[in-house]
Amino acid sequence: MSTFVMPSLGADMQSAVLMEWKVKEGDPVTKGMVIAEVETSKGVIEIEVFEDGIVEKLLVEEETECAVGAPLALIGSKDTAAAIEPTAQDIEKPSLEASKEPEHETVADERIKVSPAARKRAKELGIELSSLTADKEAIHLAQIESKIEPEAIQPSGMRQAIAKAMSRSNAEIPHYYLSTSINMTPALHWLEELNKNRSIQERILPAALLIRAVVCVLKEVPQLNGFWKNDSLQMSAAINPGIAIALRKEGLITPAILGAEQMNLDTTMQTLSDLITRTRSGKLRNTEITQQTITITNLGDLGVESVYGVIYPPQVALVGFGRIMDAPWAQGDTLCVRKVMEATLAGDHRATDGRIGGKFLDKLNQILQTPEELR
Amino acid sequence: MSEEQIKQSIIRQIVQIAPDIDPDEIIPDKNIQRSLEIDSFDFLKILTALDVELGVAVPEADYGQVDTLNHMIAYFAKRITP
């Protein structure tokens, strides 16, 4: 028997609202299965169970705010021999403040049906949900928005979470920055040929090729893939690049492509596509927002030439890509026009030196000159 | 299919993929991606949806011809089989 607790979904998270159970008592569960949805400043996140077993008891009601580490459910082992300890990675010690009682809930006896987005907005705005439910219909976001008074704009939970993480990064991490111009003509030409014979759905975007290139190079320069913890560099065997995805309204999430080292170009593109869609619709999994080993940010679409990023602790590096643009390029002793892109690396100087960072950018440049290796 | 119908299809797909965009914001001769902050991923999704709806797949080499709403309408009008 083990206790399933509210996982930490980022260093800045204190608590989250358990929105919905996906299982009931007595249900068998397997490792990696989504058993609950919780709402955090990063949106609605699906929470996976990390062992096989049976749901013995659900300890909290839906729509309860729970502190990180609060017990949520008891998971019994299927047979005693198969009991697996929870991986301690994302779980901090249960906090004493763990509460089974709703803290911030405005609902009294009766449960009010309300969409997660509407609930979040109402909380941000301090609107009483019970004031909207005269007709017992479910509450949607539009109804909440209609209650907004113009001056009621507060920084969102996500804004505050970003502010905290980035302040910590700049205070703690001695960043160094390197950049290099990469001739992207061979890679884009190769991609164009590849896409020519494919349907629109199967096309590969340059963004996916760049992620794939970073992952390939990280296998050779593993010092940039991992964490700075307990005053030492801990390299990660798994390569889980966090992809910076801007939300259309406001803010940014960097969910991970998990196990990218085992993917090829096609699966990288499919996973990226799925990840972007789910990020924008607010359906990410806890592992995707906690297990990033490096961050990749691509601001080329916005016309930016180079990106000098802020590392997300405890990661030790961030790779930035700028716009791919036509630029003069010297090849031998001729001057020609090529598709050129600026790649940058922000490194944690505690973990690595410029030599490692330089090696990374050099190998990245080389591999993009022979893109067929990225397939 | 009339140009007006094509226009409505395009606008519908843009708004479907980027729900925060007001159809009035779509200025016919402005670059769609830049003026509406649509990234390459969402642009690909729009073209995919239009392929399903209108039966015209835009090859990558033609992306320059579908950069604005007006250009897109002209491009599809020429290629839709009646």
Side-chain angles (χ1 to χ4, degrees):
Chain A
M1 174 103 70
S2 67
T3 310
F4 181 77
V5 301
M6 177 65 82
S8 169
L9 303 170
D12 48 277
M13 180 179 133
Q14 319 262 303
S15 66
V17 179
L18 187 121
M19 295 302 299
E20 191 183 345
W21 284 111
K22 296 288 185 189
V23 291
K24 51 185 194 306
E25 288 174 5
D27 281 357
V29 291
T30 51
K31 185 173 188 281
M33 189 172 157
V34 172
I35 65 165
E37 282 185 8
V38 303
E39 190 169 322
T40 71
S41 57
K42 294 182 171 109
V44 177
I45 307 292
E46 296 180 325
I47 303 293
E48 296 165 39
V49 66
F50 30 70
E51 62 188 318
D52 296 345
I54 288 171
V55 181
E56 298 257 328
K57 194 162 179 47
L58 301 179
L59 300 172
V60 296
E61 303 259 321
E62 291 181 343
E63 303 187 11
T64 306
E65 178 148 359
C66 304
V68 168
L72 302 179
L74 296 176
I75 309 289
S77 36
K78 266 182 186 147
D79 53 74
T80 43
I84 304 160
E85 280 300 302
T87 47
Q89 200 169 357
D90 300 316
I91 298 141
E92 285 156 20
K93 288 221 171 75
S95 136
L96 291 175
E97 301 159 350
S99 66
K100 290 181 193 173
E101 295 299 318
E103 280 173 12
H104 298 270
E105 205 49 72
T106 52
V107 187
D109 304 313
E110 221 169 330
R111 202 179 136 192
I112 295 170
K113 278 195 173 167
V114 49
S115 79
R119 172 175 302 279
K120 186 175 175 208
R121 200 76 182 105
K123 198 170 162 187
E124 282 166 15
L125 297 165
I127 292 171
E128 291 278 332
L129 291 171
S130 50
S131 69
L132 296 167
T133 49
D135 50 3
K136 294 268 185 287
E137 292 278 312
I139 302 172
H140 293 288
L141 187 57
Q143 279 158 276
I144 304 291
E145 300 284 0
S146 70
K147 294 274 168 185
I148 300 177
E149 289 157 32
E151 70 275 22
I153 310 277
Q154 289 273 321
S156 66
M158 182 182 294
R159 193 70 255 158
Q160 288 169 16
I162 294 173
K164 242 184 226 168
M166 294 299 101
S167 301
R168 188 185 143 199
S169 172
N170 251 14
E172 283 180 13
I173 302 179
H175 288 65
Y176 69 87
Y177 299 100
L178 304 173
S179 85
T180 195
S181 297
I182 297 180
N183 174 8
M184 288 293 289
T185 300
L188 292 179
H189 184 72
W190 179 78
L191 210 51
E192 208 175 291
E193 288 300 314
L194 185 78
N195 284 338
K196 220 180 240 176
N197 305 316
R198 292 176 169 225
S199 70
I200 293 191
Q201 286 91 333
E202 295 169 328
R203 275 181 208 164
I204 309 283
L205 288 172
L209 187 74
L210 291 171
I211 292 167
R212 172 89 183 117
V214 168
V215 170
C216 287
V217 175
L218 284 175
K219 288 179 191 171
E220 293 178 56
V221 191
Q223 295 92 332
L224 296 173
N225 183 62
F227 314 102
W228 182 259
K229 273 184 186 165
N230 306 323
D231 287 329
S232 67
L233 169 64
Q234 296 172 8
M235 290 185 264
S236 166
I239 302 178
N240 304 332
I243 310 300
I245 297 172
L247 301 181
R248 297 192 54 83
K249 283 269 179 197
E250 197 243 311
L252 167 86
I253 300 184
T254 54
I257 295 184
L258 297 171
E261 78 281 1
Q262 289 167 18
M263 296 180 185
N264 60 24
L265 183 57
D266 280 319
T267 45
T268 302
M269 176 67 195
Q270 285 153 17
T271 312
L272 174 69
S273 172
D274 174 56
L275 200 62
I276 296 176
T277 306
R278 283 188 297 114
T279 301
R280 293 196 172 140
S281 63
K283 274 288 165 85
L284 290 168
R285 290 191 172 194
N286 55 326
T287 44
E288 289 169 328
I289 61 164
T290 53
Q291 297 188 359
Q292 302 92 331
T293 56
I294 187 168
T295 301
I296 301 175
T297 178
N298 187 334
L299 293 181
D301 275 335
L302 293 176
V304 169
E305 285 182 26
S306 31
V307 185
Y308 298 95
V310 181
I311 298 167
Y312 198 97
Q315 294 164 43
V316 293
L318 178 145
V319 182
F321 293 116
R323 177 162 56 116
I324 301 173
M325 55 187 173
D326 293 327
W329 188 261
Q331 205 154 321
D333 52 5
T334 37
L335 188 61
C336 43
V337 172
R338 290 288 179 267
K339 303 279 182 199
V340 178
M341 180 193 70
E342 200 75 6
T344 53
L345 176 81
D348 182 337
H349 219 325
R350 296 171 302 181
T352 60
D353 302 322
R355 192 182 67 83
I356 294 291
K359 193 169 143 191
F360 171 83
L361 286 180
D362 183 49
K363 284 185 180 290
L364 185 69
N365 181 18
Q366 279 176 31
I367 204 162
L368 285 165
Q369 305 313 309
T370 51
E372 56 283 355
E373 288 176 33
L374 294 170
R375 212 164 181 158
Chain B
M1 197 176 215
S2 75
E3 293 206 351
E4 185 55 33
Q5 285 168 311
I6 295 172
K7 182 180 165 187
Q8 291 313 321
S9 294
I10 297 170
I11 291 175
R12 193 167 55 243
Q13 294 304 346
I14 291 176
V15 174
Q16 176 89 31
I17 281 151
D20 55 312
I21 291 174
D22 189 316
D24 296 338
E25 281 178 73
I26 307 171
I27 299 162
D29 57 355
K30 280 239 166 126
N31 182 293
I32 292 175
Q33 279 186 263
R34 245 169 296 146
S35 67
L36 301 175
E37 286 186 39
I38 286 177
D39 63 18
S40 51
F41 174 77
D42 277 346
F43 191 69
L44 186 66
K45 285 218 297 194
I46 291 168
L47 291 186
T48 306
L50 287 171
D51 177 24
V52 173
E53 182 165 343
L54 303 175
V56 177
V58 184
E60 269 187 343
D62 289 354
Y63 279 11
Q65 297 175 49
V66 291
D67 55 343
T68 69
L69 179 61
N70 279 345
H71 289 165
M72 241 188 208
I73 296 167
Y75 186 90
F76 284 107
K78 223 184 283 175
R79 287 167 180 81
I80 289 174
T81 40

